[in-house]
Amino acid sequence: MTEPVAERLTKAGGYICRYGLVIVLVLFGGGKFIKMDSKILIENSPLMSWLYDFLSVTAVARGLGTLEIVTAILIALRPKWPELSAVGSGIAVVLFLGTLSFLFTSPGVVVSVVSGFFPVLSAQPGQFLLKDLVLIGVAIWTLGEALQAVNQRRKSQLEEM
C-alpha cells in the first residue's frame, strides 16, 4: 500500500530539514576558513567577546568553523547513529542560540522603527542573523527526532530480550 501524500511530504520535509541544516553548517563552517569573519558580531557579544582575550580572530573563526563542520557531520549520521546525531543537534541549538544573541548585542541590527514599535532590520547583520530563528527550529526538530529514534531503538532491543 502506498503512503498518503501527507506522510510522504512530511518524510521528505524531514530529510530536507536535516540535510539542509547539514549543508548550511558545512558551508558556513567552511566559509570561516576562507573569508567569513564574525569579529564585529563576536566582539560586541557579552557571551563570546572574552574569546578574543586569548585567541586571535583567525583562531576564533577557525574554531567556530571546525565546530560547525563537526556538528554537521554528527547530524548527518542520524540513519546509523541517532545518538551522535542528537549530540550534533544539541550543539547546533547552542550555536544558533549564540548567533541569535547577536540580534540583541550587535550595532546596526535595527535601522529604524516604524509606527513606534515595528523594528526594520538591516540587511547586514539584521536580516542575515534572523535566518537563525528558522535554523534553531530545525535543529530542535532534528534533536527531538534523533532522540525518538534512540528511544525506539532501545525499546526494540528490550523487546528482543
Side-chain angles (χ1 to χ4, degrees):
M1 180 163 36
T2 61
E3 291 180 276
V5 171
E7 287 180 36
R8 288 191 305 231
L9 289 171
T10 300
K11 188 180 284 189
Y15 285 119
I16 292 168
C17 284
R18 177 175 311 285
Y19 295 104
L21 180 60
V22 166
I23 290 167
V24 166
L25 285 166
V26 166
L27 291 175
F28 281 4
K32 288 184 176 68
F33 284 89
I34 300 165
K35 185 176 182 345
M36 292 173 70
D37 181 9
S38 303
K39 182 178 186 275
I40 201 90
L41 300 173
I42 292 172
E43 70 186 1
N44 288 295
S45 168
L47 298 175
M48 298 180 70
S49 60
W50 58 271
L51 291 170
Y52 292 133
D53 291 343
F54 63 95
L55 293 172
S56 69
V57 172
T58 301
V60 170
R62 289 182 177 169
L64 286 171
T66 300
L67 183 59
E68 289 170 345
I69 292 168
V70 168
T71 299
I73 292 167
L74 291 172
I75 293 169
L77 294 174
R78 162 57 184 88
K80 187 82 170 158
W81 293 296
E83 297 87 353
L84 292 176
S85 184
V87 170
S89 294
I91 295 169
V93 169
V94 172
L95 286 169
F96 294 126
L97 279 172
T99 306
L100 283 169
S101 75
F102 297 154
L103 282 168
F104 305 100
T105 61
S106 298
V109 170
V110 176
V111 291
S112 66
V113 177
V114 178
S115 300
F117 67 93
F118 189 80
V120 177
L121 300 178
S122 63
Q124 287 290 334
Q127 293 175 14
F128 173 76
L129 293 171
L130 195 59
K131 65 156 175 21
D132 286 8
L133 189 57
V134 174
L135 293 172
I136 197 171
V138 173
I140 291 169
W141 176 84
T142 62
L143 174 58
E145 195 277 338
L147 290 173
Q148 284 178 334
V150 170
N151 290 336
Q152 288 173 345
R153 180 183 284 178
R154 287 182 182 158
K155 185 178 176 183
S156 296
Q157 288 170 343
L158 288 174
E159 290 172 355
E160 289 175 2
M161 295 178 145

